[in-house]
Amino acid sequence: MRKAPSARLLVFAKAPVPGRVFRRLAPALGAGDRVRLHMRLTAATLERLAGAGPWRTRLYAAPPAGAPFLRACARRHRIPLRPQHGRDLGERMRHTLEEALAGGGPAVLVGTDLPERGPESVAAAFRALAEGADAVLQPTEDGGYGLIGLARPLPELFRAIPWGTERVAAVSRERLRAAGAEWRELPATWDVDRPEDLARLDPALLRGLTPLAPQQGQPPEALDPTNG
């Protein structure tokens, strides 16, 4: 399959560090199992998307040093592993997309916690951009989005966004309207965000993990908008 040198798929992934991934799942899974689930979802995302269409895939790690796991993923799929740069999620996304756009052609950025997103969604996003849209979003049921694609820089989409809240997609639409941008939206999907989402996962992704017994009054861990 020939690649379109100007179409770039950018996959954001966190290094599998205990206590830094899927913190919202803390009531249901221990830190080690949350890391294992994160690694499985990351590997599954790359299996589905890297090399699945006429785009070139890049894997972006946070923290920038990455991890042996992410380096192994990049080697397996023969894709570049690059650091995410920026002080917060919005700055990292803006920097990565603008860097890709500077090479010419559209760019689509995705995370790794949307189990039902397949290559058809990525292909639809690139198709919308090729047909004249300035941006494309795939909203999630919780009010965020799990895919964003751009045909041109739109830095206002990444400044002062209430990341990790149910207002992310709504505020992003307001910014697009204010910028006079034309955008399209893919059908909404769901992401792995809270304990109840585990019941929706393919059981194979949960094999060997040990759910925690509910603990009344368990204090929530600090939330991280980039991954649960």
Side-chain angles (χ1 to χ4, degrees):
M1 179 184 299
R2 294 188 62 185
K3 304 297 180 186
S6 60
R8 294 177 175 86
L9 175 65
L10 319 170
V11 180
F12 262 32
K14 297 184 79 172
V17 178
R20 292 182 60 90
V21 296
F22 285 136
R23 292 181 178 180
R24 290 186 178 95
L25 299 183
L29 294 174
D33 279 346
R34 298 199 306 270
V35 166
R36 283 184 277 276
L37 178 59
H38 167 70
M39 293 170 70
R40 292 174 185 181
L41 285 169
T42 299
T45 296
L46 292 171
E47 288 289 342
R48 289 195 306 271
L49 302 183
W55 51 74
R56 296 190 179 275
T57 305
R58 297 174 181 172
L59 180 61
Y60 285 82
F69 167 71
L70 295 180
R71 291 195 293 272
C73 286
R75 287 195 301 271
R76 174 181 175 83
H77 295 283
R78 299 180 181 180
I79 58 178
L81 175 63
R82 298 187 176 181
Q84 298 178 28
H85 292 295
R87 294 168 294 182
D88 61 21
L89 176 61
E91 195 170 292
R92 297 197 302 271
M93 292 172 67
R94 179 191 60 76
H95 180 275
T96 301
L97 281 160
E98 288 183 358
E99 179 184 64
L101 290 168
V108 169
L109 187 151
V110 299
T112 61
D113 58 352
L114 278 78
E116 292 187 348
R117 181 188 46 226
E120 64 281 354
S121 294
V122 176
F126 279 119
R127 188 161 55 248
L129 296 171
E131 290 172 353
D134 298 305
V136 59
L137 299 174
Q138 184 174 27
T140 51
E141 294 173 355
D142 60 4
Y145 60 77
L147 173 153
I148 182 169
L150 296 180
R152 63 180 176 90
L154 288 166
E156 54 269 47
L157 281 177
F158 308 103
R159 297 190 184 118
I161 301 294
W163 303 111
T165 75
E166 71 282 356
R167 298 184 60 242
V168 171
V171 172
S172 299
R173 293 181 186 106
E174 292 171 4
R175 299 286 179 82
L176 287 163
R177 278 191 283 269
E182 178 184 342
W183 82 94
R184 298 186 193 174
E185 296 191 13
L186 304 181
T189 186
W190 62 280
D191 58 351
V192 181
D193 191 39
R194 301 193 183 277
E196 52 267 32
D197 296 323
L198 297 178
R200 307 169 76 175
L201 283 173
D202 181 342
L205 292 168
L206 300 172
R207 189 170 296 130
L209 306 186
T210 305
L212 297 176
Q215 297 182 26
Q216 190 171 17
Q218 181 180 16
E221 296 188 42
L223 301 185
D224 184 331
T226 65
N227 184 327

